């Protein structure tokens, strides 16, 4: 099988780096999937999408005169309709923040809320935001420690 730009092939991931993944192709050739070509969403950690030994379907983007082959996993899938709006997945911190959104506080008394009611509402919202910030900071700190 002759490699040409635009061809869709199957290959096996042989190595993963911070900037992409190397894929073994037919005829003993290998190419690189840049991290920006792994998925249609933002890729912070390539290990969430690919692993060594995994078989992936890729599209050949370019072949340099030196023989370097540029690949894309996201373009190998059926292309999305041109008029479809682009959707991005919410980040984990955003999903949790939405799930823990503060309840709307309605004072038990009729009329304007007094100072204590306003203070109670402020504290609820503040505590919710602070716990979300702590969670986000803990996730940031733990990202560097994963293996």
């Amino acid at each position: 099988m002759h490699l040409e730009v635009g061809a869709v092939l199957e290959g096996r991931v042989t190595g993963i780096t911070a900037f992409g993944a190397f894929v073994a192709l037919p005829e003993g050739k290998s190419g690189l999937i840049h991290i920006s070509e792994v998925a249609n969403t933002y890729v912070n950690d390539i290990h969430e999408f690919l692993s060594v030994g995994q078989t992936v379907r890729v599209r050949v983007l370019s072949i340099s005169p030196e023989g370097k082959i540029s690949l894309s996993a996201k373009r190998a899938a059926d292309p999305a309709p041109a008029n479809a709006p682009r959707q991005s997945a919410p980040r984990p911190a955003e999903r949790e923040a939405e799930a823990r959104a503060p309840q709307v506080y309605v004072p038990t008394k009729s009329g304007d809320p007094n100072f204590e009611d306003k203070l109670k509402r402020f504290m609820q919202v503040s505590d919710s935001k602070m716990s979300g910030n702590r969670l986000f900071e803990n996730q940031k700190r733990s990202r560097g420690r994963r293996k």
Side-chain angles (χ1 to χ4, degrees):
M1 171 180 222
H2 181 67
L3 291 177
E4 58 186 34
V5 175
V8 177
L9 310 164
E10 284 203 3
R12 188 176 50 81
V13 177
T14 58
I16 295 178
T17 65
F19 56 85
F22 291 96
V23 177
L25 300 171
E27 299 179 7
K29 300 195 181 220
S30 66
L32 173 73
I33 304 173
H34 188 266
I35 193 167
S36 65
E37 293 293 331
V38 171
N40 286 323
T41 60
Y42 176 76
V43 178
N44 187 34
D45 182 14
I46 197 167
H47 291 92
E48 294 175 5
F49 295 89
L50 298 174
S51 60
V52 175
Q54 177 182 354
T55 302
V56 291
R57 189 176 164 126
V58 294
R59 181 178 301 269
V60 178
L61 297 180
S62 66
I63 302 173
S64 72
E66 298 86 28
K68 294 181 181 178
I69 302 170
S70 177
L71 305 170
S72 173
K74 71 180 181 182
R75 296 185 197 185
D78 294 330
N83 59 357
R86 185 173 175 184
Q87 300 274 332
S88 64
R91 294 184 178 148
E94 291 172 356
R95 285 193 298 255
E96 289 185 25
E98 289 172 3
R100 291 184 287 105
Q103 299 289 330
V104 177
Y105 175 72
V106 179
T108 56
K109 302 174 194 169
S110 63
D112 293 332
N114 60 17
F115 177 77
E116 286 79 21
D117 292 334
K118 288 180 182 179
L119 182 61
K120 185 176 180 182
R121 167 91 171 110
F122 171 80
M123 292 300 292
Q124 287 175 340
V125 172
S126 178
D127 287 344
S128 175
K129 287 181 181 179
M130 290 300 291
S131 65
N133 288 342
R134 279 190 295 267
L135 176 66
F136 179 73
E137 287 298 319
N138 288 338
Q139 287 175 343
K140 275 181 36 180
R141 284 188 206 121
S142 68
R143 284 185 189 140
R145 295 184 202 143
R146 289 189 202 160
K147 290 189 179 186

